[in-house]
Amino acid sequence: MRYRYLLADNDNTLMDFNAAEKKSLQGALGHFSKPFSEEIFQVYHHINDLLWKALERGETTQAELKIERFAQLCRHYGWSDIDAKDLAVVFQDNLSTHADLLPGAMHLLQTVHGRMKIALVSNGVSATQRGRLSVCEFTHLLDAIVISEEIGVSKPNPLMVEKALEMLGCTDKREAVFLGDSHSADVAAAWNAGVDSIWLTRHGKGQSDKATYIVESLEEAEALLLQ
């Protein structure tokens, strides 16, 4: 095997964040007697995605993001009777209980465990990620967990990668590779830190001058790691 250390993103790389997000939003809106539909979810998803991209650019903070996404959603639908902070709390509580895995995630981690040291490197909210990891079936396979809210910076900041390598005991970056689905966060963080990357696209191979490898499935990533 070429690599001894695997750094892996969590949401939509290992865990099915879209499914967890939908369930959690439905439960949170129901708590405040508000309707839920695919349209409402897509509006929220769009707002949330734009704010996470702004976070990657350093234009907002996670503390602001956690509230602002719900403030914008409430304004969009005219829900003036809901406090965005209260909605954010209920949503986060719901989300922390969902740890649905994507196909191939458990098999990949079980296969490389013992051959590689594994670090989870996430831009997620600390309470949410820790809660989900507490009920997740693969947590015992991890050698290190790096969460942006706990570190004080977010991917693509290379400090996220540097911290993971330090926790794994990796002193040679050539022995490490980063697996993630986000080009702007995961691939960019690896590139900024001087580490190889595997970009998981799932919807057809994209083009990149930064990703070392591009794969369409975790099965393909697993085969690559075992080479």
Side-chain angles (χ1 to χ4, degrees):
M1 295 176 66
R2 175 177 178 181
Y3 299 106
R4 295 179 57 206
Y5 304 94
L6 172 64
L7 282 60
D9 171 56
N10 190 26
D11 293 327
N12 291 331
T13 298
L14 299 176
M15 287 190 193
D16 189 343
F17 185 73
N18 289 342
E21 188 178 45
K22 182 176 287 189
K23 294 174 187 175
S24 302
L25 183 62
Q26 183 174 11
L29 292 178
H31 179 83
F32 291 96
S33 301
K34 295 302 178 186
F36 177 82
S37 66
E38 183 62 28
E39 179 206 319
I40 291 172
F41 175 68
Q42 290 303 327
V43 169
Y44 166 81
H45 187 74
H46 178 68
I47 291 169
N48 191 45
D49 187 57
L50 290 178
L51 286 170
W52 279 104
K53 289 292 188 293
L55 179 68
E56 291 171 11
R57 296 190 299 269
E59 297 170 1
T60 188
T61 66
Q62 279 194 319
E64 293 170 340
L65 180 154
K66 287 188 290 186
I67 309 301
E68 180 59 25
R69 56 190 175 183
F70 293 107
Q72 290 188 28
L73 182 68
C74 289
R75 286 198 296 271
H76 182 88
Y77 286 104
W79 295 335
S80 58
D81 56 331
I82 303 180
D83 188 310
K85 292 181 180 179
D86 294 338
L87 182 55
V89 168
V90 176
F91 173 82
Q92 237 175 255
D93 287 345
N94 288 347
L95 189 59
S96 66
T97 66
H98 295 293
D100 308 82
L101 302 190
L102 286 163
M106 192 65 185
H107 191 275
L108 182 151
L109 294 176
Q110 287 177 323
T111 300
V112 304
H113 178 68
R115 307 183 193 193
M116 306 175 71
K117 286 190 173 182
I118 307 168
L120 191 77
V121 185
S122 171
N123 265 2
V125 175
S126 178
T128 299
Q129 294 293 4
R130 292 290 179 182
R132 296 166 76 207
L133 288 169
S134 72
V135 297
C136 178
E137 58 184 306
F138 68 59
T139 304
H140 69 286
L141 301 174
L142 303 176
D143 298 288
I145 298 170
V146 180
I147 300 174
S148 59
E149 191 173 42
E150 298 173 0
I151 301 301
V153 296
S154 302
K155 296 175 290 185
N157 192 309
L159 183 60
M160 291 284 286
V161 175
E162 299 286 356
K163 184 64 176 178
L165 296 179
E166 176 188 336
M167 293 173 72
L168 293 179
C170 175
T171 57
D172 186 350
K173 291 181 178 180
R174 294 173 296 181
E175 297 182 328
V177 64
F178 197 125
L179 168 65
D181 71 300
S182 172
H183 193 276
S184 59
D186 304 319
V187 173
W191 175 270
N192 292 339
V195 169
D196 285 356
S197 62
I198 303 172
W199 182 22
L200 176 62
T201 61
R202 284 201 177 91
H203 303 297
K205 291 188 176 178
Q207 295 183 340
S208 170
D209 58 356
K210 292 183 178 181
T212 313
Y213 311 97
I214 303 175
V215 300
E216 296 181 62
S217 68
L218 288 176
E219 290 79 8
E220 191 178 349
E222 180 182 318
L224 193 157
L225 290 170
L226 293 176
Q227 290 179 0

